[in-house]
Amino acid sequence: MSYLKRDSYDALAWDFASQDVPELKTASANLALAGFKGLAEDAFSSCLRARVEAIPGTGAHAVFIDQLLGTREHATLRERTRADEAACSLATLEISRVLLAASPGLAGAGSNPDALRALARHACRVALEACERADDAAKGLYGEGWGRGTHEGQARSTNRRSLIEARDLVTKSRRSGNVVQAILREAGRLRRIRDRVRAEKSRRGPGCVVGIEQGADPAKLLPVELAALAPGAPPALALDFARRFSERQLLQVKTQETTQVGRGPIVVCLDQSGSMAGPLEIWSKALVLALLELASQEGRAFALIPFSDTVGKTWIVPANAKPSPGEILNQLEAFRDGGTDFEAPLAGALGVIEANAGQLRSADVVFVTDGLAPISPEFAQAWETRTQARGTKLHTILIGTSSAACDLDPLSDSAVRVPTLSDEGDALESAFSVGLN
C-alpha cells in the first residue's frame, strides 16, 4: 500500500533503481514484513520528485509519510536527491534502515504523530549524511570526470551502483578512525580550489596585469612616475626619476608572462613518516588525489612515490588511463610510519622518470613533506645535472613547519612553506599550477 501519490514515472524509476541496487528490493521486503508495505517505494519517490503529495491515512505508514513531507530535514534531503536516482537509492536504504531499527516499537504509532515526526527527521538527517559521504567517496574513487571523454551525460554525479559500492568500499576500509572518509571529504574541498586556480591561470594571457612591481620598463610605468617628466615639473623630480630609472626602482605594472596549459606528467613524492599521521596525512593525500584527478582529466601520466626513511612501491598511472577504485583506496589506506630520508625518494623519482621515458618524459616532481633531512653536496650536484638534462622541475611543499632552511630549497624550482594548514593558499596554487608555468 502506498500513501504517496505516485505515477508510472515513479514506478519505472523504482524498477530501474531496484534492478541496479538489489538492496532496495530487500529493504522493501523487510519493511513489508514489519507492516510497512510500500514504504520504501514511497520514500524513494519522495526523494526523487520535485513536488510530492501524501494520501491521507491513519496507520503508522500513512502518518509517517505525512510527517516526513512536512519536515525541514526532508526538504533539505530532497534538494540533494531530487532527480538524482543514485542519491535517491542510497537515501531510501538509509531511511529504511532507520525505520526497521525502530519498527518493534511502532505498533500503533499512527496515533502518535510527534514520535513519527521525530523519527522522520532523524531518518532524513542520517540519509543526508550518508549521501554526502558516499558522494565524496564516489568522486574520489570512481572520479568526477576521470579520464578523457567521460564528461558527457554527467548531470548526475555517478551511477546508482557506483555510489553504493563507493560507500561500501570506504566503510570496509582497513584504516580505522574514518581516515579514508576524511581524505575523500578533504579532496572534495581541494578539488574546488584546484579548478578555480586552473581556470584563473588559464584565463591570464600575455600582458594581463596581475600587480605592481619595481622596474624600468617605459611601457609599464605608472602615471604617477611619468608625471615627473611632464612639462613644468620641478627639475628635482626629473633627477630623482633618472636615478630610480637607472636603479630599476620605478613603480610599474606587473604583467603575467605567456602561459601555456601544460600536459606534462606529474610525479609526487609523498612523505608518510610517523610525524605525518593525523591532519597532515589527510591533507597531503587529498592533495595527491586532486593532482591524480587533474592528470587523468588532462591525459597526463601520474606516479606516486610514498616514502619515510625507506621508499615504498611506486604507483604509476599511464596517460589516459583510469585507475580502479581499489587501486586508489589502497594508496589512501597505506601509511609507512618511521623516519624521514630525502635522497632515496628523489633518486627514486628520477629513476622512475628515466625508466619510463615514454610515459614520464619531462615530468615535474611535487615533493610533499613535513620533515627535515640532510642532502649531501654530491647528491645535489647529481640532481642538478640529471634534472637539467631532462627539463624536470622540483616543486617542494613543506607542511607543518615554518623552518627557514631546508636542504631541499637549493634543489627546488619552487618551495612553499605551510606552517599550519590554514596557510595552504600558496602551496595549493603552486601544486595546482604544475604544467601551467
Side-chain angles (χ1 to χ4, degrees):
M1 175 66 182
S2 174
Y3 288 94
L4 193 72
K5 291 185 177 180
R6 304 169 67 233
D7 57 23
S8 57
Y9 168 74
D10 295 281
L12 189 62
W14 171 261
D15 287 343
F16 280 131
S18 56
Q19 289 174 19
D20 284 348
V21 186
E23 294 96 320
L24 287 171
K25 292 181 180 179
T26 302
S28 178
N30 289 337
L31 283 172
L33 290 175
F36 297 96
K37 184 177 181 180
L39 197 150
E41 291 87 335
D42 284 350
F44 181 88
S45 294
S46 77
C47 293
L48 180 67
R49 303 297 294 266
R51 297 180 63 183
V52 289
E53 184 178 349
I55 297 174
T58 57
H61 180 167
V63 176
F64 177 83
I65 290 297
D66 181 64
Q67 294 297 317
L68 176 78
L69 299 184
T71 64
R72 181 178 66 255
E73 286 80 3
H74 183 263
T76 302
L77 175 63
R78 197 166 68 222
E79 288 177 3
R80 171 61 188 84
T81 61
R82 187 170 59 238
D84 185 341
E85 294 170 11
C88 289
S89 300
L90 181 54
T92 299
L93 291 176
E94 294 299 321
I95 292 173
S96 299
R97 182 174 62 82
V98 171
L99 275 172
L100 285 170
S103 61
L106 293 181
S111 59
N112 189 353
D114 289 342
L116 290 174
R117 184 178 184 84
L119 183 63
R121 295 179 64 186
H122 172 64
C124 288
R125 286 193 293 266
V126 170
L128 181 60
E129 290 174 3
C131 286
E132 291 174 344
R133 289 195 303 269
D135 196 46
D136 288 337
K139 288 176 180 176
L141 298 179
Y142 287 83
E144 186 178 42
W146 279 115
R148 291 182 171 179
T150 60
H151 298 280
E152 184 176 354
Q154 286 191 345
R156 295 169 182 166
S157 62
T158 185
N159 63 55
R160 289 179 286 268
R161 188 67 255 166
S162 65
L163 192 71
I164 305 298
E165 289 175 350
R167 178 203 62 178
D168 293 343
L169 280 171
V170 174
T171 301
K172 298 173 183 176
S173 170
R174 64 176 184 266
R175 286 293 298 275
S176 61
N178 296 320
V179 172
V180 171
Q181 186 67 60
I183 294 170
L184 293 167
R185 185 179 302 113
E186 181 71 355
R189 186 182 69 85
L190 297 191
R191 183 185 297 117
R192 293 186 290 272
I193 296 174
R194 177 202 65 200
D195 293 344
R196 186 171 66 246
V197 169
R198 301 288 289 186
E200 179 182 349
K201 284 188 170 288
S202 296
R203 285 195 299 268
R204 294 177 182 174
C208 177
V209 176
V210 295
I212 297 175
E213 63 183 357
Q214 289 186 329
D217 186 339
K220 296 181 178 180
L221 295 179
L222 298 183
V224 67
E225 299 286 19
L226 295 174
L229 305 180
L237 288 181
L239 289 173
D240 182 64
F241 178 94
R243 177 186 63 80
R244 291 191 294 124
F245 182 85
S246 65
E247 296 174 357
R248 304 186 63 82
Q249 294 182 350
L250 295 171
L251 296 178
Q252 64 182 39
V253 295
K254 181 180 180 180
T255 57
Q256 176 73 30
E257 300 301 326
T258 302
T259 60
Q260 296 179 348
V261 176
R263 292 294 184 268
I266 302 173
V267 176
V268 178
C269 295
L270 179 63
D271 188 346
Q272 293 185 359
S273 60
S275 59
M276 288 286 289
L280 298 186
E281 179 195 3
I282 291 169
W283 186 89
S284 62
K285 286 184 175 178
L287 174 63
V288 167
L289 188 54
L291 287 172
L292 171 62
E293 291 179 2
L294 174 66
S296 180
Q297 290 173 6
E298 296 185 348
R300 306 159 69 177
F302 178 90
L304 175 64
I305 302 176
F307 72 93
S308 55
D309 47 4
T310 59
V311 177
K313 183 179 180 181
T314 299
W315 181 43
I316 299 177
V317 180
N320 299 310
K322 179 180 178 180
S324 72
E327 289 177 306
I328 297 170
L329 187 61
N330 285 339
Q331 298 302 321
L332 299 184
E333 290 178 329
F335 189 75
R336 301 187 61 76
D337 211 343
T340 307
D341 177 72
F342 286 165
E343 292 188 2
L346 287 171
L350 286 181
V352 74
I353 291 171
E354 292 168 351
N356 297 271
Q359 282 287 336
L360 298 174
R361 182 183 293 111
S362 301
D364 282 349
V365 178
V366 178
F367 198 97
V368 184
T369 181
D370 74 329
L372 300 175
I375 294 177
S376 68
E378 295 78 14
F379 183 90
Q381 181 59 51
W383 172 270
E384 182 177 357
T385 300
R386 293 169 70 184
T387 54
Q388 285 182 352
R390 293 195 167 276
T392 296
K393 295 182 179 180
L394 175 63
H395 306 272
T396 298
I397 299 176
L398 192 62
I399 58 177
T401 178
S402 57
S403 175
C406 176
D407 281 13
L408 286 168
D409 291 342
L411 280 61
S412 303
D413 294 272
S414 68
V416 182
R417 304 291 197 274
V418 186
T420 66
L421 294 182
S422 60
D423 303 313
E424 66 182 9
D426 289 343
L428 295 179
E429 182 167 353
S430 175
F432 296 144
S433 297
V434 170
L436 280 175
N437 299 320

